[in-house]
Each structure stands twice: as structure tokens, then as C-alpha cells.
Amino acid sequence: AIAGSDLAYAMYTSGSTGAPKGVMVEHRGMVNHVLAKLADLGMGADDVLAQNGPPTFDIVVWQCLAPLVVGGRVVVFPDEVVEEPARMLAEIERRGVTVLQMVPSLLRAVLDEAMASDAPLCSLRWMVPTGEALPADLSRRWLEAYPRIPLLNTYGSTECSDDQCHYPL
């Protein structure tokens, strides 16, 4: 039996202090975060999430677990795809990705490429910016280009099981 207070995983981070440290995340925090993502994104068995975060970054936990909890799929994107916006857009289409998370700086590059190539992003139903402040101009550009694909702005620290806030736009 596993209690909510039992250790789920340890993650190393500089966190808000800038000093490297290990953070011990309990099961209750991890499960709460996964359930919040599922609820806020309305994820189900038809969803396909792109696992595109580094394996040492805390977003890997929800990216790998949340879709599986509801019978959905996880598609692992290798670094060489994530680092090239054109390749990422092609893989999103090819794999039928419905939920995609990325830092705003990468989102800006992907959006520039998507607009230049008229990428339809047919299957995508949520874009989830995280890890950096989301600039208002980028939000406006995204929603003008893809009004049917909302943004779920997320942000949080490793110490709090990844995200403390989700804000749909």
C-alpha cells in the first residue's frame, strides 16, 4: 500500500533560490497535479499528448502519466524534432497530437513556422505554455492564428509538484 505522504520521486532543481537542491515530491502532490491537468484539459481516451520535455524536467511526470490514466496515448518526441519547429509541426500532424506543452520561447518559434507554412494543426485541441512568463503579444498572436485551440497557461515550481496555476485563455 502507498500512502499519499510516501515519496513518489525526487527531482533536482535550482528552484526559486538559484541554489541546486533535491526536491522530494509526495504521491499526493503528483496525483493532484495529474488529476488537475486531466480535468482542466478535459483529457480522455482519444487524446494524444506529445512528451517533448527533457527527462530531467518535472513536466515529464505529467506528460508521461496523465494520458495513460484516461486510456490516451503518449508520443515521445526526440530532441531533434523538438529543436526544429518545422519537424515538430510535421510530427504533430502525423501523430495526431491533441495536447502540446512547450515553453513560450519555443512556442514563438513554432508559431512563426506554423504561420509561414499555413500548418492547419487539425488534431490539436490544447496548447499548454509553461516554464516561462507567457507574453501577452504571443497569446494574442496564437489565438488570432488558431482561435479554436485555446491556451492553458501553466506555471509552477518543482517544489509544488510542477504547476501551482492553470489559467485557460
Side-chain angles (χ1 to χ4, degrees):
I2 296 172
S5 60
D6 287 347
L7 181 66
Y9 60 90
M11 187 72 60
Y12 291 88
T13 180
S14 62
S16 56
T17 66
K21 63 182 172 277
V23 173
M24 296 185 294
V25 177
E26 296 176 347
H27 276 271
R28 72 171 54 108
M30 178 191 67
V31 170
N32 185 54
H33 180 243
V34 168
L35 294 176
K37 278 288 200 295
L38 291 172
D40 287 350
L41 295 168
M43 289 181 69
D46 293 332
D47 279 302
V48 178
L49 188 136
Q51 195 290 300
N52 58 349
T56 57
F57 193 42
D58 55 4
I59 65 172
V60 74
V61 175
W62 94 267
Q63 286 184 347
C64 287
L65 296 179
L68 303 180
V69 169
V70 293
R73 289 189 300 128
V74 177
V75 177
V76 178
F77 279 22
D79 290 346
E80 55 271 11
V81 169
V82 174
E83 293 166 359
E84 293 189 34
R87 286 184 71 186
M88 184 181 293
L89 289 166
E91 283 299 297
I92 291 165
E93 292 296 325
R94 187 172 82 78
R95 302 293 193 111
V97 170
T98 60
V99 178
L100 181 63
Q101 183 177 40
M102 63 181 63
V103 294
S105 53
L106 180 57
L107 175 56
R108 188 176 298 279
V110 168
L111 180 57
D112 289 345
E113 178 63 32
M115 292 176 73
S117 65
D118 280 331
L121 300 178
C122 296
S123 59
L124 195 63
R125 37 178 229 93
W126 277 102
M127 174 59 73
V128 184
T130 194
E132 303 169 352
L134 178 61
D137 72 301
L138 179 57
S139 299
R140 278 192 289 277
R141 282 186 61 221
W142 176 266
L143 293 170
E144 286 170 6
Y146 296 100
R148 65 171 187 74
I149 307 171
L151 298 164
L152 181 67
N153 189 21
T154 63
Y155 194 80
S157 60
T158 302
E159 295 88 341
C160 293
S161 306
D162 193 4
D163 292 324
Q164 291 98 280
C165 63
H166 292 172
Y167 192 84
L169 304 171

PDB file of all heavy atoms in Angstrom, residues 48 73 75-78 81 87-97 121-123:
ATOM      1  N   VAL A  48      -3.955  12.425 -27.498  1.00  0.00           N
ATOM      2  CA  VAL A  48      -2.565  12.073 -27.768  1.00  0.00           C
ATOM      3  C   VAL A  48      -1.721  13.243 -27.279  1.00  0.00           C
ATOM      4  O   VAL A  48      -1.875  14.370 -27.763  1.00  0.00           O
ATOM      5  CB  VAL A  48      -2.319  11.851 -29.274  1.00  0.00           C
ATOM      6  CG1 VAL A  48      -0.852  11.526 -29.535  1.00  0.00           C
ATOM      7  CG2 VAL A  48      -3.238  10.779 -29.823  1.00  0.00           C
ATOM      8  N   ARG A  73      -2.908   8.285 -25.298  1.00  0.00           N
ATOM      9  CA  ARG A  73      -1.572   7.884 -25.744  1.00  0.00           C
ATOM     10  C   ARG A  73      -0.549   8.975 -25.463  1.00  0.00           C
ATOM     11  O   ARG A  73      -0.868  10.152 -25.466  1.00  0.00           O
ATOM     12  CB  ARG A  73      -1.563   7.614 -27.257  1.00  0.00           C
ATOM     13  CG  ARG A  73      -2.294   6.356 -27.649  1.00  0.00           C
ATOM     14  CD  ARG A  73      -2.093   5.997 -29.111  1.00  0.00           C
ATOM     15  NE  ARG A  73      -2.568   7.034 -30.012  1.00  0.00           N
ATOM     16  CZ  ARG A  73      -1.843   7.570 -31.002  1.00  0.00           C
ATOM     17  NH1 ARG A  73      -0.626   7.171 -31.227  1.00  0.00           N
ATOM     18  NH2 ARG A  73      -2.363   8.498 -31.768  1.00  0.00           N
ATOM     19  N   VAL A  75       3.128  10.207 -27.043  1.00  0.00           N
ATOM     20  CA  VAL A  75       4.071  10.082 -28.147  1.00  0.00           C
ATOM     21  C   VAL A  75       5.340  10.815 -27.734  1.00  0.00           C
ATOM     22  O   VAL A  75       5.297  12.017 -27.448  1.00  0.00           O
ATOM     23  CB  VAL A  75       3.503  10.696 -29.455  1.00  0.00           C
ATOM     24  CG1 VAL A  75       4.524  10.632 -30.561  1.00  0.00           C
ATOM     25  CG2 VAL A  75       2.222  10.008 -29.855  1.00  0.00           C
ATOM     26  N   VAL A  76       6.460  10.102 -27.676  1.00  0.00           N
ATOM     27  CA  VAL A  76       7.725  10.697 -27.259  1.00  0.00           C
ATOM     28  C   VAL A  76       8.388  11.350 -28.471  1.00  0.00           C
ATOM     29  O   VAL A  76       8.633  10.689 -29.486  1.00  0.00           O
ATOM     30  CB  VAL A  76       8.656   9.636 -26.637  1.00  0.00           C
ATOM     31  CG1 VAL A  76       9.988  10.264 -26.241  1.00  0.00           C
ATOM     32  CG2 VAL A  76       7.984   8.988 -25.428  1.00  0.00           C
ATOM     33  N   PHE A  77       8.631  12.658 -28.355  1.00  0.00           N
ATOM     34  CA  PHE A  77       9.313  13.406 -29.410  1.00  0.00           C
ATOM     35  C   PHE A  77      10.795  13.493 -29.064  1.00  0.00           C
ATOM     36  O   PHE A  77      11.140  14.017 -28.003  1.00  0.00           O
ATOM     37  CB  PHE A  77       8.755  14.820 -29.514  1.00  0.00           C
ATOM     38  CG  PHE A  77       7.476  14.954 -30.279  1.00  0.00           C
ATOM     39  CD1 PHE A  77       6.615  13.896 -30.466  1.00  0.00           C
ATOM     40  CD2 PHE A  77       7.127  16.175 -30.812  1.00  0.00           C
ATOM     41  CE1 PHE A  77       5.438  14.041 -31.174  1.00  0.00           C
ATOM     42  CE2 PHE A  77       5.951  16.333 -31.528  1.00  0.00           C
ATOM     43  CZ  PHE A  77       5.107  15.277 -31.711  1.00  0.00           C
ATOM     44  N   PRO A  78      11.668  13.005 -29.937  1.00  0.00           N
ATOM     45  CA  PRO A  78      13.105  13.122 -29.663  1.00  0.00           C
ATOM     46  C   PRO A  78      13.560  14.580 -29.762  1.00  0.00           C
ATOM     47  O   PRO A  78      12.907  15.413 -30.389  1.00  0.00           O
ATOM     48  CB  PRO A  78      13.753  12.262 -30.746  1.00  0.00           C
ATOM     49  CG  PRO A  78      12.721  12.061 -31.785  1.00  0.00           C
ATOM     50  CD  PRO A  78      11.380  12.293 -31.172  1.00  0.00           C
ATOM     51  N   VAL A  81      13.564  16.528 -33.049  1.00  0.00           N
ATOM     52  CA  VAL A  81      12.255  17.002 -33.529  1.00  0.00           C
ATOM     53  C   VAL A  81      11.852  18.261 -32.767  1.00  0.00           C
ATOM     54  O   VAL A  81      11.418  19.251 -33.358  1.00  0.00           O
ATOM     55  CB  VAL A  81      11.182  15.899 -33.379  1.00  0.00           C
ATOM     56  CG1 VAL A  81       9.782  16.447 -33.624  1.00  0.00           C
ATOM     57  CG2 VAL A  81      11.470  14.749 -34.333  1.00  0.00           C
ATOM     58  N   ARG A  87       9.905  20.398 -38.186  1.00  0.00           N
ATOM     59  CA  ARG A  87       9.795  18.963 -37.908  1.00  0.00           C
ATOM     60  C   ARG A  87       8.759  18.698 -36.822  1.00  0.00           C
ATOM     61  O   ARG A  87       8.004  17.732 -36.904  1.00  0.00           O
ATOM     62  CB  ARG A  87      11.148  18.384 -37.487  1.00  0.00           C
ATOM     63  CG  ARG A  87      12.104  18.249 -38.666  1.00  0.00           C
ATOM     64  CD  ARG A  87      13.382  17.594 -38.275  1.00  0.00           C
ATOM     65  NE  ARG A  87      13.187  16.168 -37.988  1.00  0.00           N
ATOM     66  CZ  ARG A  87      14.130  15.376 -37.510  1.00  0.00           C
ATOM     67  NH1 ARG A  87      15.333  15.855 -37.275  1.00  0.00           N
ATOM     68  NH2 ARG A  87      13.889  14.107 -37.268  1.00  0.00           N
ATOM     69  N   MET A  88       8.719  19.574 -35.813  1.00  0.00           N
ATOM     70  CA  MET A  88       7.742  19.394 -34.750  1.00  0.00           C
ATOM     71  C   MET A  88       6.325  19.516 -35.311  1.00  0.00           C
ATOM     72  O   MET A  88       5.461  18.697 -35.008  1.00  0.00           O
ATOM     73  CB  MET A  88       7.939  20.397 -33.622  1.00  0.00           C
ATOM     74  CG  MET A  88       6.962  20.123 -32.480  1.00  0.00           C
ATOM     75  SD  MET A  88       7.056  21.232 -31.095  1.00  0.00           S
ATOM     76  CE  MET A  88       8.639  20.838 -30.444  1.00  0.00           C
ATOM     77  N   LEU A  89       6.079  20.513 -36.143  1.00  0.00           N
ATOM     78  CA  LEU A  89       4.752  20.683 -36.731  1.00  0.00           C
ATOM     79  C   LEU A  89       4.359  19.474 -37.575  1.00  0.00           C
ATOM     80  O   LEU A  89       3.216  19.014 -37.521  1.00  0.00           O
ATOM     81  CB  LEU A  89       4.701  21.965 -37.567  1.00  0.00           C
ATOM     82  CG  LEU A  89       4.723  23.256 -36.760  1.00  0.00           C
ATOM     83  CD1 LEU A  89       5.015  24.446 -37.667  1.00  0.00           C
ATOM     84  CD2 LEU A  89       3.425  23.438 -35.995  1.00  0.00           C
ATOM     85  N   ALA A  90       5.306  18.955 -38.342  1.00  0.00           N
ATOM     86  CA  ALA A  90       5.025  17.772 -39.165  1.00  0.00           C
ATOM     87  C   ALA A  90       4.668  16.568 -38.292  1.00  0.00           C
ATOM     88  O   ALA A  90       3.738  15.815 -38.597  1.00  0.00           O
ATOM     89  CB  ALA A  90       6.232  17.458 -40.053  1.00  0.00           C
ATOM     90  N   GLU A  91       5.388  16.392 -37.183  1.00  0.00           N
ATOM     91  CA  GLU A  91       5.119  15.263 -36.281  1.00  0.00           C
ATOM     92  C   GLU A  91       3.791  15.428 -35.542  1.00  0.00           C
ATOM     93  O   GLU A  91       3.080  14.450 -35.314  1.00  0.00           O
ATOM     94  CB  GLU A  91       6.259  15.086 -35.278  1.00  0.00           C
ATOM     95  CG  GLU A  91       7.474  14.422 -35.870  1.00  0.00           C
ATOM     96  CD  GLU A  91       7.171  13.019 -36.384  1.00  0.00           C
ATOM     97  OE1 GLU A  91       6.807  12.132 -35.590  1.00  0.00           O
ATOM     98  OE2 GLU A  91       7.305  12.817 -37.601  1.00  0.00           O
ATOM     99  N   ILE A  92       3.446  16.648 -35.186  1.00  0.00           N
ATOM    100  CA  ILE A  92       2.159  16.911 -34.542  1.00  0.00           C
ATOM    101  C   ILE A  92       1.031  16.449 -35.459  1.00  0.00           C
ATOM    102  O   ILE A  92       0.102  15.762 -35.031  1.00  0.00           O
ATOM    103  CB  ILE A  92       2.012  18.406 -34.189  1.00  0.00           C
ATOM    104  CG1 ILE A  92       2.977  18.773 -33.067  1.00  0.00           C
ATOM    105  CG2 ILE A  92       0.570  18.749 -33.819  1.00  0.00           C
ATOM    106  CD1 ILE A  92       3.171  20.268 -32.885  1.00  0.00           C
ATOM    107  N   GLU A  93       1.127  16.817 -36.731  1.00  0.00           N
ATOM    108  CA  GLU A  93       0.109  16.412 -37.710  1.00  0.00           C
ATOM    109  C   GLU A  93       0.119  14.902 -37.927  1.00  0.00           C
ATOM    110  O   GLU A  93      -0.916  14.254 -37.903  1.00  0.00           O
ATOM    111  CB  GLU A  93       0.332  17.143 -39.046  1.00  0.00           C
ATOM    112  CG  GLU A  93       0.072  18.630 -38.993  1.00  0.00           C
ATOM    113  CD  GLU A  93      -1.373  19.004 -38.700  1.00  0.00           C
ATOM    114  OE1 GLU A  93      -2.297  18.284 -39.150  1.00  0.00           O
ATOM    115  OE2 GLU A  93      -1.582  20.019 -38.023  1.00  0.00           O
ATOM    116  N   ARG A  94       1.312  14.355 -38.147  1.00  0.00           N
ATOM    117  CA  ARG A  94       1.440  12.929 -38.458  1.00  0.00           C
ATOM    118  C   ARG A  94       0.951  12.049 -37.317  1.00  0.00           C
ATOM    119  O   ARG A  94       0.303  11.022 -37.534  1.00  0.00           O
ATOM    120  CB  ARG A  94       2.902  12.608 -38.783  1.00  0.00           C
ATOM    121  CG  ARG A  94       3.138  11.205 -39.278  1.00  0.00           C
ATOM    122  CD  ARG A  94       4.570  11.030 -39.754  1.00  0.00           C
ATOM    123  NE  ARG A  94       5.501  10.773 -38.682  1.00  0.00           N
ATOM    124  CZ  ARG A  94       5.666   9.605 -38.081  1.00  0.00           C
ATOM    125  NH1 ARG A  94       4.939   8.581 -38.429  1.00  0.00           N
ATOM    126  NH2 ARG A  94       6.562   9.452 -37.130  1.00  0.00           N
ATOM    127  N   ARG A  95       1.229  12.448 -36.084  1.00  0.00           N
ATOM    128  CA  ARG A  95       0.882  11.638 -34.915  1.00  0.00           C
ATOM    129  C   ARG A  95      -0.487  11.953 -34.328  1.00  0.00           C
ATOM    130  O   ARG A  95      -0.930  11.310 -33.390  1.00  0.00           O
ATOM    131  CB  ARG A  95       1.924  11.836 -33.811  1.00  0.00           C
ATOM    132  CG  ARG A  95       3.329  11.498 -34.211  1.00  0.00           C
ATOM    133  CD  ARG A  95       3.499  10.010 -34.487  1.00  0.00           C
ATOM    134  NE  ARG A  95       4.873   9.633 -34.568  1.00  0.00           N
ATOM    135  CZ  ARG A  95       5.505   8.885 -33.681  1.00  0.00           C
ATOM    136  NH1 ARG A  95       4.861   8.407 -32.648  1.00  0.00           N
ATOM    137  NH2 ARG A  95       6.769   8.590 -33.845  1.00  0.00           N
ATOM    138  N   GLY A  96      -1.160  12.983 -34.849  1.00  0.00           N
ATOM    139  CA  GLY A  96      -2.489  13.338 -34.347  1.00  0.00           C
ATOM    140  C   GLY A  96      -2.468  13.879 -32.924  1.00  0.00           C
ATOM    141  O   GLY A  96      -3.383  13.624 -32.137  1.00  0.00           O
ATOM    142  N   VAL A  97      -1.439  14.657 -32.591  1.00  0.00           N
ATOM    143  CA  VAL A  97      -1.295  15.207 -31.240  1.00  0.00           C
ATOM    144  C   VAL A  97      -2.466  16.134 -30.934  1.00  0.00           C
ATOM    145  O   VAL A  97      -2.808  17.009 -31.731  1.00  0.00           O
ATOM    146  CB  VAL A  97       0.056  15.944 -31.090  1.00  0.00           C
ATOM    147  CG1 VAL A  97       0.134  16.722 -29.789  1.00  0.00           C
ATOM    148  CG2 VAL A  97       1.206  14.948 -31.207  1.00  0.00           C
ATOM    149  N   LEU A 121      -2.781  22.277 -38.042  1.00  0.00           N
ATOM    150  CA  LEU A 121      -2.874  21.735 -36.674  1.00  0.00           C
ATOM    151  C   LEU A 121      -4.266  21.150 -36.424  1.00  0.00           C
ATOM    152  O   LEU A 121      -4.924  21.452 -35.425  1.00  0.00           O
ATOM    153  CB  LEU A 121      -2.533  22.814 -35.638  1.00  0.00           C
ATOM    154  CG  LEU A 121      -1.135  23.416 -35.753  1.00  0.00           C
ATOM    155  CD1 LEU A 121      -0.921  24.513 -34.717  1.00  0.00           C
ATOM    156  CD2 LEU A 121      -0.068  22.350 -35.628  1.00  0.00           C
ATOM    157  N   CYS A 122      -4.685  20.294 -37.342  1.00  0.00           N
ATOM    158  CA  CYS A 122      -6.046  19.737 -37.340  1.00  0.00           C
ATOM    159  C   CYS A 122      -6.427  19.024 -36.054  1.00  0.00           C
ATOM    160  O   CYS A 122      -7.557  19.157 -35.590  1.00  0.00           O
ATOM    161  CB  CYS A 122      -6.210  18.773 -38.509  1.00  0.00           C
ATOM    162  SG  CYS A 122      -6.075  19.582 -40.096  1.00  0.00           S
ATOM    163  N   SER A 123      -5.531  18.252 -35.493  1.00  0.00           N
ATOM    164  CA  SER A 123      -5.897  17.455 -34.320  1.00  0.00           C
ATOM    165  C   SER A 123      -5.684  18.183 -32.995  1.00  0.00           C
ATOM    166  O   SER A 123      -6.267  17.797 -31.980  1.00  0.00           O
ATOM    167  CB  SER A 123      -5.091  16.154 -34.309  1.00  0.00           C
ATOM    168  OG  SER A 123      -3.703  16.445 -34.273  1.00  0.00           O
TER     169      SER A 123
END
